[in-house]
Each structure stands twice: as structure tokens, then as C-alpha cells.
Amino acid sequence: MARLSELREGHARKVEVDDLEVALWRVGGRVYAIGNVCAHQHFSLLHQGILEGLTVGCPMHGWRYSLETGLALEGSGRVPVYRVMMKGDTVLVSLAAEG
Ligand code: FES
């Protein structure tokens, strides 16, 4: 898991939950959790993506995903969206995908 105090606003961090890689993005004081693996060519780099509002662009070829729904703005791809809960400074991620 991660600590909220370690997440910088407008940046992401990759965490592993069981065998899944999750990108935790802190935007507008809120934490969003999406699958870290791009639906295009499966590079695990969405934690290094380019943030634009509530979308993240994959650094490889630019597919953009909504942090709220996981849907790609281009094509028909999507990444899972996970529920985030806070317990004090601890960020908890539920692996039951929301989107
Ligand atoms: S691998 Fe992400 S856009 Fe191509």
C-alpha cells in the first residue's frame, strides 16, 4: 500500500496489490487507482503517464484514459478502476474493479 503523505499532487506512484500493478494518482486532493498496464500494447507505464485534468496519457503512444472510468479516450480500450479507501494516512485499494 501507500501513504497519502507520500503521494504528490499531480503525480502517481506504482504499487503492487497481490500480482496486479496499480497506478495511484493524486489529483485535486483525491486518490485514483487504475490498472497500470496500458490496453494498447500492454506496457506497464501508466504511473509515468501525462496528466491532463482527470485523464492520463500513456507515455508510449499517447492513449489517454479517464481516471474516473478507466475508459480510453481513443479506441475502445479500458483499464480497470479500483476503489480507494483511506485509513488515516494509509491508502487502501480494493481489487474489485469498479470500471
Ligand atoms: S502502449 Fe500505451 S499507448 Fe501504446
Side-chain angles (χ1 to χ4, degrees):
M1 277 313 101
R3 302 235 173 253
L4 181 62
S5 55
E6 295 172 348
L7 294 174
R8 290 190 301 145
E9 174 66 29
H11 291 81
R13 179 179 191 143
K14 179 177 73 174
V15 296
E16 292 191 12
V17 184
D18 293 338
D19 287 336
L20 290 175
E21 290 192 0
V22 176
L24 292 179
W25 281 91
R26 185 171 180 174
V27 183
R30 188 176 159 189
V31 178
Y32 298 87
I34 62 171
N36 199 44
V37 179
C38 181
H40 178 221
Q41 290 187 354
H42 310 293
F43 286 90
S44 186
L45 290 172
L46 293 181
H47 68 292
Q48 295 178 1
I50 298 149
L51 183 68
E52 251 185 79
L54 287 177
T55 68
V56 171
C58 176
M60 293 304 290
H61 313 103
W63 279 29
R64 289 177 297 146
Y65 298 93
S66 164
L67 288 174
E68 295 177 302
T69 66
L71 290 171
L73 276 63
E74 298 86 12
S76 57
R78 74 182 312 167
V79 294
V81 173
Y82 302 107
R83 180 175 300 177
V84 173
M85 294 155 289
M86 306 302 305
K87 189 171 184 182
D89 190 44
T90 303
V91 181
L92 300 169
V93 176
S94 167
L95 286 185
E98 291 194 324

